[in-house]
Amino acid sequence: MERFVALDSWRGIAACMVALYHLYYLHVHGHLYEVPLLQNSWLFVDFFFVLSGFVIAANYQQRLLDGFGAGRFILLRLGRIYPLHFVMLAVGVALKLLLVLAPGFSSVAHTAAPPFTAPDEAPGTILANLLLIHGLHLYDFLTWNGQSWSISTEFYTYVLFAACLVGLGKRAWIALPVAVIGGPILLAMLSAQYLATDTEWGIIRCVYGFAVGVVVWNIYRRWTDPLRTWLSGNVAEWCAIALMLVFVSLSSKTILSLAAPYVFGLVVLVFAFESGTASAMLRLRPLVFLGTVSYSIYMTHVFVARRLFDTGRVLEKFLDIDLLTQRRIDGQQLYFVGTEAWHGDIFYLAFLPIVLAVSYFTYRWIEQPGRKWNRNWVQTRHDSLRRAASGVA
């Protein structure tokens, strides 16, 4: 499979930015709390969608046109995303079952309702998560491992991608302008916060971003040499980074956010050439590691953050210290870490190393074995079908 190392590292950086955003969203108040880039880092989810479209098109577009098989492609993609999604769901359900068996833990977990009674953890949401349909407008709230809504939408975007290529063949390109033009128009009409939609209109958001990535791949593939003159090198890379940081900092949940996939598409195109000093930095081992475990970072970070909050509540009780501060904001009683901004700063500094440590183990023990088993199974199945079709016993 074709690999773009610098883009993989960008995936890891984007995952870390989303993790820091969710820490901000969970009310960790530090000096970073007022930084616009952090407040708007939810937009880096759309970077994932664009990059996914680019990489999937680079590795599967021609193969699907040549008869690789939509079923084989979908099973391979399912094996890539499902094992960790399933484990995180199972862990979440297991913790709720623990609260049923040992109600005394509810004060630590700070649950507002008995287990499995709140809408976001009702039994039906478990089935929806198992079927990966929980991000397809079934609910207007997040369920279980909340950020997995994007995994749901991305899986079914893979299905649409394969269906277009297999069903339309070389005419599949006609679906791209529909997605990259119709996507932002639909979101402007349907979403009150434009691109900031998840379980409600997240499938449109994902298809839009993914299609931009597919367009970028085809631009890169067709005009590599002419574009290299203008879009490669130090100036192009650092200007692309500056554009992305300024855009994310300014766009917020306004209509401007709808342009995010285009901005990220340009960044992906520039760094596909991997020819500047920024790309050289992105090929350093620590950043390559971030890219390697990026999916684990994305799927585990909210769980880690919530367990850190639970740990804080336990330490408060046993050590008689104030680790969490209650504040009433917009009628809600919220918990903030510490009583001073620098307390939150320490929490931010400690959070990412813990997430990276957890992500290393989930990558090694869940992602890698799951992917390897799935690839072997899909290959064995494919070989069996091919032998059966040729009449070989």
Side-chain angles (χ1 to χ4, degrees), residues 119-351:
D120 62 336
E121 57 189 45
T125 63
I126 300 174
L127 179 61
N129 274 264
L130 289 172
L131 297 176
L132 281 176
I133 59 175
H134 56 293
L136 305 184
H137 204 53
L138 289 183
Y139 310 106
D140 58 0
F141 48 80
L142 298 174
T143 63
W144 296 100
N145 195 30
Q147 69 274 26
S148 70
W149 71 267
S150 65
I151 307 307
S152 166
T153 60
E154 189 159 339
F155 174 72
Y156 289 100
T157 300
Y158 296 151
V159 174
L160 288 174
F161 173 74
C164 285
L165 287 172
V166 173
L168 298 175
K170 292 185 178 181
R171 292 174 296 174
W173 65 268
I174 63 178
L176 290 174
V178 174
V180 300
I181 298 173
I185 292 173
L186 282 174
L187 289 171
M189 295 169 56
L190 298 171
S191 173
Q193 295 183 314
Y194 302 105
L195 203 64
T197 182
D198 37 58
T199 56
E200 292 183 292
W201 304 109
I203 184 63
I204 299 175
R205 178 181 174 185
C206 182
V207 170
Y208 165 35
F210 189 94
V212 169
V214 175
V215 170
V216 170
W217 160 250
N218 282 282
I219 290 172
Y220 174 81
R221 176 177 65 89
R222 288 174 179 270
W223 296 294
T224 299
D225 291 334
L227 289 173
R228 190 183 299 275
T229 304
W230 302 99
L231 296 179
S232 66
N234 293 331
V235 174
E237 288 189 351
W238 290 106
C239 284
I241 292 173
L243 172 64
M244 178 171 62
L245 295 180
V246 170
F247 177 85
V248 173
S249 298
L250 295 179
S251 62
S252 190
K253 297 176 181 179
T254 67
I255 194 169
L256 182 61
S257 67
L258 293 173
Y262 293 116
V263 173
F264 292 141
L266 177 61
V267 174
V268 168
L269 181 58
V270 168
F271 280 91
F273 293 104
E274 298 185 303
S275 60
T277 53
S279 287
M281 294 169 62
L282 290 166
R283 287 193 293 270
L284 295 174
R285 289 184 65 182
L287 293 179
V288 172
F289 170 76
L290 286 185
T292 301
V293 301
S294 59
Y295 182 56
S296 277
I297 293 171
Y298 183 72
M299 291 296 284
T300 64
H301 69 269
V302 171
F303 177 84
V304 170
R306 294 193 184 281
R307 300 297 74 79
L308 289 175
F309 269 74
D310 292 343
T311 302
R313 293 187 186 97
V314 171
L315 292 175
E316 277 192 323
K317 290 186 176 181
F318 286 97
L319 300 180
D320 195 27
I321 56 177
D322 292 327
L323 288 176
L324 300 173
T325 304
Q326 292 190 40
R327 305 179 192 180
R328 196 163 192 85
I329 299 178
D330 296 331
Q332 288 185 299
Q333 199 72 16
L334 304 176
Y335 281 86
F336 286 77
V337 173
T339 57
E340 303 286 343
W342 65 269
H343 296 161
D345 295 339
I346 293 174
F347 199 92
Y348 276 106
L349 289 173
F351 172 64

Side-chain angles (χ1 to χ4, degrees), residues 1 52-65 67-81 154-166 210 214 374-375 377-379 381-382 385:
M1 292 182 70
S52 181
F54 180 88
V55 173
I56 294 297
N59 288 287
Y60 287 105
Q61 177 177 291
Q62 191 58 48
R63 283 198 278 177
L64 284 167
L65 289 172
F68 184 81
R72 186 180 173 194
F73 164 75
I74 290 167
L75 287 173
L76 285 171
R77 298 317 302 163
L78 187 64
R80 174 68 182 94
I81 64 176
E154 189 159 339
F155 174 72
Y156 289 100
T157 300
Y158 296 151
V159 174
L160 288 174
F161 173 74
C164 285
L165 287 172
V166 173
F210 189 94
V214 175
N374 180 71
R375 282 178 177 171
W377 177 77
V378 171
Q379 187 60 46
R381 178 179 178 273
H382 173 69
L385 291 173

Side-chain angles (χ1 to χ4, degrees), residues 67-98:
F68 184 81
R72 186 180 173 194
F73 164 75
I74 290 167
L75 287 173
L76 285 171
R77 298 317 302 163
L78 187 64
R80 174 68 182 94
I81 64 176
Y82 199 80
L84 186 55
H85 166 69
F86 177 81
V87 169
M88 295 307 299
L89 174 64
V91 169
V93 172
L95 287 178
K96 294 299 178 180
L97 288 173
L98 177 63

